[in-house]
Amino acid sequence: MYMNNFEYLAPKTPGEAFEVVSRLGSKARILAGGTDLLVLMKDKIISPEYLIDINNIEEFKGIKYEPGKGMEIGATTKIAEIQYSEIVKEKYPALAHAAGELGSSQVRHMGTIGGNSCNASPSGETPTPLVAYGATVVVSSAAGEREMPLEAFIQGVRKIDLKEGEILTKFKLPEPSPKLVAKYAYMGARDANEIDCVNMAVALELEADKKTVKSVKLVMGSVFIKPLVSTAVPALLTGQKFSDELAAKAAEAAQGEAKPITDIRASEEYRSEIVGVLARRLLKEAFAAAQEV
Ligand SMILES: Cc1cc2nc3c(=O)[nH]c(=O)nc-3n(C[C@H](O)[C@H](O)[C@H](O)COP(=O)(O)OP(=O)(O)OC[C@H]3O[C@@H](n4cnc5c(N)ncnc54)[C@H](O)[C@@H]3O)c2cc1C
């Protein structure tokens, strides 16, 4: 389990980081928390000649919230910081919930929110609620910045829209409507330190009558090559008076959209069943909570 030799670089400013990332290209890997990267290096699945540690760059970390505008979360912000942030818990509770379910306390204090999306594992915990909240990512280089929805940045298993010389620098979350309720849930083989076999986030808002669905977004994780945004659920629920029967129909529709596989963590059939269970549960929970706001 020894890693191959590599050279360690730790730039202190964005400019230094962009220069070194661009100069070393595919010979280098960006190091954030290392909780995914070092596992791959120890197993010799990858053997970069250089590691570029971006943790010393102040501009790439931290949580900033501006009322009416929304939140920016730096890519190297630790998962634990998101889990415990009072403002994340207040404004984006489904994200704080998901952060608190990732791995163990040790992993959450090392791993970063940027690493979780850049690793692009279908079972990633935080991309699902981030997509439900409409998050975009900013990727930066010496040449400037690009911004895109997170669901476009994550292209498939371990595949992201990051060109040579670019670094994911921050996430932007729009200000949620005061009436929006978002919920997150996952299913795994056990409670502690497991990788999800299905995870899901629902964001729902009701009309003033507290019965009619104004908007709904349902995002599924671990049932496709990337976070899967349901189109069938909003089509069935928007403009309709919410009911248990409609929730059951919507859950069935989500099951129809999911494309789960069988792997070490669960069978395709089990994952499909769990999509239905979580969708029904989250839609009902979100509806009940939305009636109270
Ligand atoms: C025991 C254990 C349990 C775990 N449990 C879970 C779990 O329950 N749920 C879950 O989702 N994950 C889990 N993980 C995986 C991992 O902890 C997370 O994916 C974590 O968020 C990765 O972040 P990191 O900062 O450690 O990434 P790193 O390992 O540092 O990087 C991951 C990849 O992203 C690239 N990268 C990182 N940051 C950037 C950036 N800013 N710009 C461009 N590229 C970048 C790296 O080059 C590398 O390819 C677990 C890992 C372990 C070891």
Side-chain angles (χ1 to χ4, degrees):
M1 282 289 217
Y2 291 110
M3 285 184 263
N4 287 348
N5 287 339
F6 58 86
E7 199 170 319
Y8 171 84
L9 302 163
K12 290 200 173 59
T13 65
E16 277 172 39
F18 298 141
E19 188 281 320
V20 78
V21 166
S22 150
R23 179 162 48 84
L24 296 173
S26 59
K27 287 190 239 164
R29 278 297 182 119
I30 291 166
L31 172 72
T35 60
D36 279 312
L37 185 63
L38 296 194
V39 176
L40 297 179
M41 288 174 66
K42 282 185 175 174
D43 286 346
K44 298 213 165 43
I45 293 166
I46 54 166
S47 298
E49 290 173 48
Y50 301 88
L51 283 191
I52 305 169
D53 183 345
I54 56 169
N55 288 288
N56 294 330
I57 302 165
E58 283 306 317
E59 289 84 342
F60 294 173
K61 56 179 130 179
I63 298 169
K64 284 184 218 126
Y65 172 72
E66 210 179 307
K69 277 194 81 180
M71 183 170 280
E72 289 191 2
I73 306 180
T76 56
T77 306
K78 300 292 181 188
I79 297 290
E81 201 181 328
I82 293 159
Q83 174 188 2
Y84 294 117
S85 158
E86 289 304 326
I87 191 71
V88 177
K89 283 196 267 183
E90 183 192 329
K91 295 286 174 184
Y92 307 94
L95 175 61
H97 179 182
E101 301 293 353
L102 190 152
S104 61
S105 178
Q106 292 92 329
V107 173
R108 293 193 289 273
H109 280 84
M110 288 298 291
T112 64
I113 188 161
N116 201 212
S117 280
C118 288
N119 189 53
S121 160
S123 60
E125 209 93 42
T126 60
T128 308
L130 282 167
V131 169
Y133 281 120
T136 58
V137 293
V138 176
V139 293
S140 315
S141 69
E145 285 185 353
R146 297 190 291 135
E147 187 174 336
M148 70 198 93
L150 177 57
E151 62 268 38
F153 176 71
I154 300 177
Q155 297 178 322
V157 183
R158 308 227 182 269
K159 226 171 141 223
I160 50 175
D161 181 4
L162 194 78
K163 299 188 172 55
E164 221 165 82
E166 287 183 329
I167 301 174
L168 169 63
T169 50
K170 64 183 161 195
F171 294 78
K172 287 187 178 177
L173 285 83
E175 173 77 32
S177 153
K179 302 274 179 210
L180 186 89
V181 166
K183 297 277 175 190
Y184 173 81
Y186 76 97
M187 193 67 81
R190 56 178 191 271
D191 269 351
N193 216 8
E194 99 305 357
I195 306 279
D196 302 347
C197 75
V198 177
N199 65 41
M200 192 178 288
V202 163
L204 180 137
E205 189 174 353
L206 293 177
E207 298 284 4
D209 67 0
K210 304 266 186 195
K211 291 187 178 102
T212 308
V213 177
K214 185 175 179 190
S215 70
V216 60
K217 197 166 178 184
L218 183 145
V219 186
M220 301 170 251
S222 211
V223 292
F224 186 49
I225 54 168
K226 55 185 267 181
L228 182 61
V229 183
S230 168
T231 52
V233 170
L236 270 167
L237 294 185
T238 312
Q240 302 297 319
K241 289 212 168 21
F242 192 92
S243 65
D244 286 358
E245 295 71 42
L246 213 46
K249 265 194 195 156
E252 221 174 279
Q255 271 181 308
E257 290 176 300
K259 295 173 183 59
I261 56 160
T262 296
D263 66 10
I264 189 171
R265 279 180 223 124
S267 66
E268 178 189 332
E269 292 77 14
Y270 180 73
R271 282 193 161 100
S272 172
E273 196 59 34
I274 295 304
V275 166
V277 170
L278 293 185
R280 225 170 22 247
R281 186 185 300 165
L282 284 183
L283 285 167
K284 284 197 211 174
E285 277 178 21
F287 173 68
Q291 289 190 301
E292 303 300 320
V293 291

